[in-house]
Amino acid sequence: KQITAEPSASSSSCMDWTSSNTSETVGNNPASSTPITGSAPASLGLAGDVCTGNSDPEVSRSRVAEFLHRHTAYELIPESAKVVVLDTALPVQQAFHALFEQGLPSAPLWDESAMDFVGIISSSDFINILHRLRQAPLSNEELENLTISKWRHELSSSEGEGFRRLVSVRPEDSLHAVARTLLHCGFNSVPILTFSSMMEDKALVDQSSFKGREIAQLLHLATLDGIFASITRHYRHTPSALPLLTQSIGHLGVGTYREDFDLSGKQPQIVNKTPLHTLLPTTPLTVAMSQLLQAGVSALPVVDEQGLLVDVYARSDVMALARGEAYSRLPLDEISVSQALGYCAGGNNARLPTPPVGSASSSPSSSGSHLAAQGTPRKEDSSRLTAGPDKVGKIGRCHTCTRTTTLRVVVEALATPGVQRLICVEPNSRRLEGLISLRDVALFLFA
């Protein structure tokens, strides 16, 4: 089901939101890809501005907190937007194909029998299903009959847990509450729901079992990058109000870094203590998918044997295997990360190699030879844009920064739709040093 919401400018300011008792709520939002320029965006007034005022980090944090408390989730809802909802009766094959075609990492789930939103299906579910198919293969008929609802039941039974309920927010909730919900649950996005009485819907009034009950309506998906965008718009003309943002991420210790990496010699407080996990181009795809789940991260940098950045493999990249049901006809154990990335970038005409089992070319070590054939390093070198203190860079499809890049530039970059993370590299080289995610910056700023 595809729902398009287009509130008019005149009605948006006086819309009456129906409130009800807060329900216990579980559950990731791409938008148009706005290019990131080589120089720092002017949205926070970086260019030519000298930040003045109290340099105490808590002063900036308190001002951000005050902003988050004073503004609501309604401000995250655009005037015109598209939201995609999947019915739980849909077969998982069609569900993941729909996510791939729409370019979405996740989508809310609607249960027609319960007349309610019941959860979110994401690329993580796709990875779990692929693992299940490897361990206990299903026939084509069984796979076609495996609905989202049935998969949720089986997953709940195997984990010995009850059904997870949907985590959501309401339009009148403060941005502080939205940010806390996103960080606490660990999801990339949560639905913004409003509720209306069943008696108000004439089309459904005959269903006596639902009379008088409040039915959820999906307005939009709240994300951390949407919150960052609100902050940058608010402080566009008063950059000196947040002096903390003028300091470098290396000094502040924002992000996840190599264990042997000394940020600045000033012993900054590292926000993320998690070790930095990486992949090699020759890493088997199945190993990469397992590491994504086990490490609890959305993406893993891909480096060569010298530690130079080659690419990044994200959970959303796994969705490319839904194209043409590639996951059901390809030997995933024999595919390397480099081959999978080539398939992601190759479009509909791309084909993953299918070497015979036991041949020399089917081993993970030899699969890396396809990397040069696919031209991944050459593409990255040719499209490289060097990062610096006042700008983000680009290596292939990876947005990059350095430890001297200011937190202001990082926040503005992550507020750009489609930018989920920045890869920290050595200045004037591709050597990997760390990774800065939306969650890393949010934990630091909203602490």
Side-chain angles (χ1 to χ4, degrees):
K1 298 182 180 180
Q2 188 165 292
I3 308 171
T4 303
E6 296 184 347
S8 63
S10 59
S11 63
S12 62
S13 60
C14 58
M15 189 172 295
D16 181 19
W17 299 106
T18 303
S19 61
S20 64
N21 293 333
T22 304
S23 59
E24 182 182 359
T25 60
V26 160
N28 273 285
N29 170 18
S32 58
S33 53
T34 305
I36 298 178
T37 58
S39 59
S43 58
L44 290 186
L46 179 66
D49 276 325
V50 178
C51 193
T52 60
N54 199 323
S55 60
D56 185 355
E58 295 309 316
V59 172
S60 296
R61 286 195 177 112
S62 64
R63 288 170 181 168
V64 171
E66 181 184 0
F67 168 82
L68 295 178
H69 280 287
R70 286 191 292 106
H71 295 259
T72 66
Y74 181 73
E75 299 180 28
L76 301 178
I77 305 174
E79 291 187 1
S80 179
K82 177 180 70 175
V83 291
V84 176
V85 179
L86 299 180
D87 195 296
T88 56
L90 195 67
V92 292
Q93 279 186 321
Q94 297 182 28
F96 292 126
H97 182 75
L99 289 178
F100 169 74
E101 289 294 329
Q102 295 291 326
L104 300 173
S106 62
L109 295 175
W110 173 261
D111 189 330
E112 188 71 19
S113 61
M115 294 294 293
D116 200 4
F117 291 96
V118 294
I120 283 184
I121 191 169
S122 68
S123 52
S124 300
D125 296 296
F126 189 34
I127 296 175
N128 283 322
I129 288 181
L130 292 181
H131 279 306
R132 171 190 163 163
L133 293 177
R134 290 178 59 236
Q135 297 169 0
L138 299 178
S139 65
N140 291 335
E141 182 179 358
E142 290 175 324
L143 195 56
E144 291 174 358
N145 293 329
L146 181 61
T147 63
I148 298 175
S149 179
K150 187 180 296 184
W151 163 251
R152 282 167 54 83
H153 275 284
E154 293 182 3
L155 186 63
S156 177
S157 300
S158 63
E159 293 181 352
E161 302 176 355
F163 286 120
R164 297 185 307 167
R165 298 183 62 84
L166 179 70
V167 169
S168 64
V169 296
R170 301 197 179 191
E172 63 270 20
D173 289 343
S174 69
L175 291 182
H176 177 269
V178 175
R180 189 170 64 176
T181 299
L182 285 164
L183 293 173
H184 177 73
C185 297
F187 303 125
N188 291 335
S189 64
V190 294
I192 303 176
L193 301 179
T194 187
F195 295 82
S196 62
S197 173
M198 197 66 170
M199 298 296 292
E200 299 173 2
D201 196 328
K202 295 181 179 180
L204 300 172
V205 72
D206 293 334
Q207 301 186 24
S208 58
S209 60
F210 297 105
K211 283 184 179 180
R213 214 194 81 182
E214 290 192 325
I215 301 300
Q217 298 177 358
L218 176 64
L219 301 179
H220 198 55
L221 296 177
T223 61
L224 287 175
D225 56 287
I227 296 177
F228 284 162
S230 295
I231 294 174
T232 58
R233 287 194 300 268
H234 181 76
Y235 289 101
R236 178 179 303 167
H237 302 298
T238 56
S240 60
L242 301 177
L244 179 64
L245 270 61
T246 63
Q247 300 186 42
S248 69
I249 56 171
H251 174 75
L252 297 173
V254 181
T256 307
Y257 296 87
R258 298 195 325 256
E259 293 182 354
D260 61 340
F261 178 56
D262 180 15
L263 281 168
S264 62
K266 298 181 181 180
Q267 297 181 341
Q269 178 183 358
I270 305 298
V271 176
N272 195 340
K273 306 289 186 180
T274 305
L276 180 63
H277 299 272
T278 60
L279 301 171
L280 291 172
T282 55
T283 301
L285 177 59
T286 52
V287 174
M289 292 190 294
S290 296
Q291 289 189 21
L292 283 169
L293 294 179
Q294 293 171 2
V297 295
S298 62
L300 294 169
V302 181
V303 298
D304 61 17
E305 295 180 353
Q306 286 73 44
L308 301 181
L309 180 66
V310 173
D311 209 324
V312 62
Y313 193 74
R315 296 193 189 200
S316 56
D317 292 325
V318 182
M319 299 303 302
L321 296 174
R323 179 172 57 222
E325 299 178 9
Y327 58 87
S328 63
R329 58 183 174 81
L330 293 172
L332 299 184
D333 291 320
E334 302 170 11
I335 295 172
S336 68
V337 169
S338 66
Q339 291 171 319
L341 287 170
Y343 187 70
C344 292
N348 292 329
N349 296 324
R351 293 292 183 271
L352 281 171
T354 55
V357 177
S359 65
S361 60
S362 67
S363 65
S365 60
S366 62
S367 61
S369 62
H370 292 275
L371 183 63
Q374 292 163 349
T376 305
R378 295 189 183 92
K379 288 181 182 179
E380 290 175 346
D381 289 340
S382 63
S383 61
R384 183 172 164 187
L385 179 65
T386 304
D390 59 350
K391 63 181 180 179
V392 297
K394 194 81 180 289
I395 297 179
R397 60 183 192 145
C398 301
H399 295 92
T400 63
C401 64
T402 69
R403 58 183 176 271
T404 63
T405 303
T406 64
L407 183 58
R408 185 186 306 277
V409 172
V410 170
V411 170
E412 291 172 345
L414 293 176
T416 305
V419 181
Q420 298 295 312
R421 66 197 62 86
L422 295 179
I423 310 296
C424 184
V425 296
E426 280 187 358
N428 303 317
S429 81
R430 289 190 293 121
R431 181 170 174 78
L432 175 69
E433 292 186 339
L435 185 148
I436 298 91
S437 68
L438 282 162
R439 181 178 177 84
D440 293 331
V441 179
L443 287 172
F444 179 81
L445 266 185
F446 306 158

